[in-house]
Amino acid sequence: MNEMLSVYGFGSFFAGKAVPRDIDLLLLHRSTDRSSCQFAIDCKARIERVLPSADIVMLSRSEAERHRFVSRSKAIELGKVTTAKLDEQLATIISELTRSRSLSLTRLASHRAQGMGMPVGIRPDSLGTHPTSNDEIVFW
Amino acid sequence: MPAYSDDFPWPSYYGHYDFFEQRMRAHNRVHDLEALGDGRYRLTRADGTILEVFVCECYLYAAAQYMATVEAFGRLDAIIISSNWCGYDPKLKLECMDKQVGLFDIGEFMGALNRPDFWAYLTDTQEKILREMKEQGFL
């Protein structure tokens, strides 16, 4: 069966917090039947291998609606993944995540080196004395 | 949160659940608690029955997560969601009850341990909601 799910981001990493704890992702899959759940499990495992700091929740559409998870967590849709193009679509989403993370860190370091003001999207409270991978990350 | 591990793909504080262990060891219906690693415990009740328990943290523990847990560890008697900011899907809880598997938070599990049919334990609020859902034809 050709399955499809949506990948969402939520939590401090996507909310522009100064020191995000980890990357919270939601895999919103079709239903609670075995095929749909297994597809979500497979996607979760693949993402975790590439993004070790990802904390991934798997919910069917009805489960998510029952808990109003997307609206309550202010989750942002990052993309869709299908059985047919699983690797390609996951790679695109993960690449965008890591690219955005690198860009933000590069911009932050560049502005610091040039003695410039804060770059757009970088919060003042993120400018600690020791830039780390936990510095401000801006997405979408 | 710890780094991802292929062997333990659930977020936890390194697989140690000190609060859970403290609460279990203080429970007068618990004779012994053996940590098996990766969030798994073998709990021996005062009546001698042994429960295979899995403790994890998950924002919202639902059907796919349950399937992944069973795939990883096989049959479990109880799954405990350990954390105030985490929870589980109530529909999954009812489905687990049908399989005589308990799905609880730590406080609920404390109450459940007082019953032989621990998996069927519901708080007063849960019983009320369940009754209302049945009356309204949702179940």
Side-chain angles (χ1 to χ4, degrees):
Chain A
M1 182 172 185
N2 191 27
E3 292 288 349
M4 186 184 79
L5 59 74
S6 298
V7 181
Y8 283 78
F10 66 98
S12 58
F13 191 81
F14 297 92
K17 299 283 184 184
V19 186
R21 234 169 39 128
D22 44 26
I23 303 173
D24 294 311
L25 298 175
L26 163 67
L27 303 185
L28 193 64
H29 56 99
R30 178 179 52 79
S31 85
T32 57
D33 70 29
R34 175 162 286 276
S35 169
S36 180
C37 287
Q38 190 61 58
F39 184 59
I41 292 167
D42 292 345
C43 287
K44 181 174 185 273
R46 286 169 193 246
I47 295 170
E48 284 171 330
R49 286 194 187 98
V50 182
L51 292 175
S53 60
D55 188 356
I56 303 173
V57 180
M58 299 179 287
L59 297 177
S60 71
R61 294 201 173 275
S62 60
E63 288 168 339
E65 283 169 16
R66 188 155 46 244
H67 297 270
R68 293 183 288 125
F69 194 93
V70 172
S71 59
R72 288 170 68 179
S73 67
K74 299 183 174 65
I76 303 160
E77 185 168 6
L78 307 179
K80 294 189 189 307
V81 180
T82 60
T83 307
K85 294 186 175 180
L86 174 59
D87 288 329
E88 180 187 330
Q89 290 162 330
L90 272 183
T92 301
I93 291 169
I94 291 168
S95 166
E96 187 65 21
L97 274 170
T98 50
R99 189 186 63 81
S100 300
R101 183 187 180 97
S102 299
L103 270 179
S104 280
L105 293 173
T106 303
R107 286 167 58 206
L108 179 59
S110 170
H111 277 248
R112 278 176 172 160
Q114 295 171 35
M116 295 166 66
M118 281 176 292
V120 174
I122 303 286
R123 285 185 176 178
D125 60 4
S126 73
L127 300 178
T129 52
H130 302 287
T132 69
S133 60
N134 281 333
D135 269 325
E136 185 71 343
I137 295 157
V138 181
F139 284 91
W140 292 280
Chain B
M1 296 285 182
Y4 169 75
S5 156
D6 272 337
D7 299 326
F8 190 64
W10 285 274
S12 78
Y13 293 103
Y14 303 92
H16 297 296
Y17 295 96
D18 291 344
F19 181 69
F20 170 76
E21 293 178 10
Q22 288 165 12
R23 300 303 292 160
M24 290 303 107
R25 293 204 163 100
H27 198 295
N28 60 11
R29 299 293 175 106
V30 174
H31 173 69
D32 187 40
L33 183 70
E34 181 186 0
L36 303 176
D38 297 344
R40 287 181 301 155
Y41 292 88
R42 183 165 294 130
L43 186 151
T44 306
R45 297 207 283 179
D47 64 6
T49 54
I50 294 173
L51 306 184
E52 299 291 334
V53 179
F54 174 63
V55 184
C56 72
E57 291 178 351
C58 178
Y59 283 115
L60 184 52
Y61 192 90
Q65 214 84 37
Y66 175 69
M67 192 170 142
T69 307
V70 173
E71 279 181 4
F73 300 128
R75 158 84 190 186
L76 293 159
D77 296 304
I79 296 161
I80 315 301
I81 312 304
S82 165
S83 171
N84 286 335
W85 57 85
C86 297
Y88 56 78
D89 181 59
K91 189 162 182 285
L92 176 64
K93 180 183 180 71
L94 296 177
E95 290 168 4
C96 284
M97 283 169 64
D98 288 342
K99 299 171 188 163
Q100 300 191 353
V101 175
L103 179 55
F104 306 109
D105 65 26
I106 291 178
E108 293 163 2
F109 191 48
M110 295 286 284
L113 284 169
N114 293 312
R115 296 173 49 147
D117 58 344
F118 63 90
W119 62 85
Y121 174 82
L122 294 167
T123 63
D124 291 345
T125 304
Q126 287 171 336
E127 280 189 358
K128 180 172 179 286
I129 291 169
L130 191 61
R131 193 166 51 245
E132 287 172 356
M133 287 175 76
K134 283 178 178 170
E135 286 169 0
Q136 292 167 20
F138 290 116
L139 293 174

